[in-house]
Amino acid sequence: MEAISEVFQQMLKENPRLEQRMKDVQNSLGSRGIECATNPSDACPNKKCDGSGFLWYIDYHKKMHPDKVAEDIRKHKELYAVAHEANDQQEMDRINSILVDLKKESEWWVKCDCHEQKQKEQEIARKLDLSGMPEKFRKAKVHGFKVDVYTQQVSRTDAALAKKMATNFIENFKDIEPGKGLYFYSTIKGAGKTRLSCSIGNALMTVYGQAVVYMKAYDLFLQIRKTFSKGSETTEDEILKLYRTADVLIIDDIAVENPSDFAERVLYNILDYRMDNFKTTIITSNKTIEELADLYKLRDSKGQIVEDGDRGERIKSRINKMCYQVNMPEESVRDIEALQENSAFEQILFK
């Protein structure tokens, strides 16, 4: 059986016009020099690459005339030998530079300007997965926090002030005393505390590369209780280490329910470490910082407060040291948003 190349050569001999056309294509490509073969796409912020973060270049002269390139390499090696014999270092450097270029592959990849940004986005996505932040808040941004959704003027005023403080916190993060965070307070559920705290977390992660961890206070206690089960692969220390050492910790819904001795011990363990090591903590709660002292007071087996117990003061004093209280609106926007969403959904169902 004849080799494919032999059959192809025979076809060219039998068809001079095809042979000439092939030569014309080769000459045309060979005269094009170096070109980028990547099709630009809107997926690239600079519209240079196809969104992959890389550009594919082809040197058509090398690709279409490999024999000529090989001959050029041979000639320049001879010239290098002559320069070496004459001990002409400048000429040797010049020829060596040409040889390096000639020996390069005819096709290669280079990083697009967007490559670094792509890597940063991938790193942020990885950190978001590790953060435990609720999916609905992973893209939340402070500038997207809507003040006009609140119906009461006093609520809009409080929301605008909270948004301003959150913005200033982010913009001046590097200048703020290490370990200082925010404490978002409102007695009403759905007032926007979680959204605003997660928005800050997203910004600190994106702008400053901070490792952010989100935890629902009640879920934390459940996680640790599970470690007590026989056969558990995770220890209490491993869970506590994650929350103690994160660059930024968001504690959501602290003190929503009456805390137990166990809950107080866990919380104190985390807060004490973070305070001593200047770790930023952001907290949401339906209790003021001052009210935490009473909430966490030591109680006896009958639930009565032990007057000489300082447990509540220990929790309060640490949070007071670590966080500045930000008062959120006493109005829920969750129901308002639900009505808007249901209205839009209704339009689809009945159109």
Side-chain angles (χ1 to χ4, degrees), residues 132-143:
M133 193 176 292
E135 186 68 34
K136 68 182 292 187
F137 297 129
R138 289 191 176 191
K139 294 183 179 179
K141 294 182 171 126
V142 172
H143 70 74

Side-chain angles (χ1 to χ4, degrees), residues 269-336:
N269 185 307
I270 293 171
L271 293 176
D272 191 55
Y273 181 94
R274 296 188 67 79
M275 183 184 71
D276 289 346
N277 291 275
F278 305 103
K279 299 288 186 179
T280 303
T281 307
I282 299 172
I283 300 173
T284 74
S285 180
N286 63 351
K287 303 290 184 183
T288 66
I289 296 177
E290 286 298 321
E291 288 173 335
L292 294 179
D294 287 334
L295 188 70
Y296 282 99
K297 275 185 177 177
L298 187 63
R299 287 172 167 78
D300 59 24
S301 58
K302 296 181 179 180
Q304 299 299 313
I305 294 175
V306 178
E307 292 300 333
D308 60 347
D310 65 347
R311 192 178 75 171
E313 284 296 329
R314 292 194 308 169
I315 292 287
K316 186 202 83 171
S317 65
R318 276 154 182 75
I319 293 179
N320 215 17
K321 170 70 174 172
M322 299 164 66
C323 299
Y324 180 85
Q325 183 169 303
V326 180
N327 294 328
M328 293 291 288
E330 290 296 329
E331 178 184 353
S332 174
V333 293
R334 191 176 295 159
D335 292 338
I336 298 172

Side-chain angles (χ1 to χ4, degrees), residues 123-177:
E123 178 63 15
I124 290 171
R126 186 187 70 82
K127 286 182 177 179
L128 272 171
D129 286 338
L130 295 175
S131 72
M133 193 176 292
E135 186 68 34
K136 68 182 292 187
F137 297 129
R138 289 191 176 191
K139 294 183 179 179
K141 294 182 171 126
V142 172
H143 70 74
F145 184 76
K146 297 178 181 178
V147 174
D148 57 2
V149 295
Y150 297 91
T151 60
Q152 303 171 24
Q153 183 56 48
V154 64
S155 296
R156 293 184 179 185
T157 301
D158 288 342
L161 182 58
K163 181 176 182 178
K164 181 179 180 180
M165 294 169 73
T167 301
N168 288 335
F169 181 81
I170 294 166
E171 291 179 352
N172 299 283
F173 182 68
K174 288 297 182 183
D175 299 323
I176 293 172
E177 183 181 340

Side-chain angles (χ1 to χ4, degrees), residues 17-77:
R17 292 180 64 184
L18 175 61
E19 183 179 17
Q20 185 58 47
R21 192 180 305 165
M22 291 290 292
K23 288 181 179 179
D24 291 342
V25 170
Q26 288 181 333
N27 290 333
S28 175
L29 289 174
S31 64
R32 286 165 63 176
I34 299 174
E35 292 185 8
C36 178
T38 303
N39 293 321
S41 164
D42 289 338
C44 172
N46 303 313
K47 296 185 178 179
K48 286 185 177 181
C49 72
D50 55 5
S52 66
F54 291 91
L55 296 166
W56 177 29
Y57 281 92
I58 300 175
D59 186 331
Y60 284 101
H61 174 74
K62 285 185 180 180
K63 191 175 180 66
M64 305 310 298
H65 304 293
D67 293 339
K68 188 176 185 310
V69 173
E71 178 64 18
D72 286 344
I73 291 174
R74 186 187 65 77
K75 287 180 179 179
H76 280 83
K77 282 183 176 180

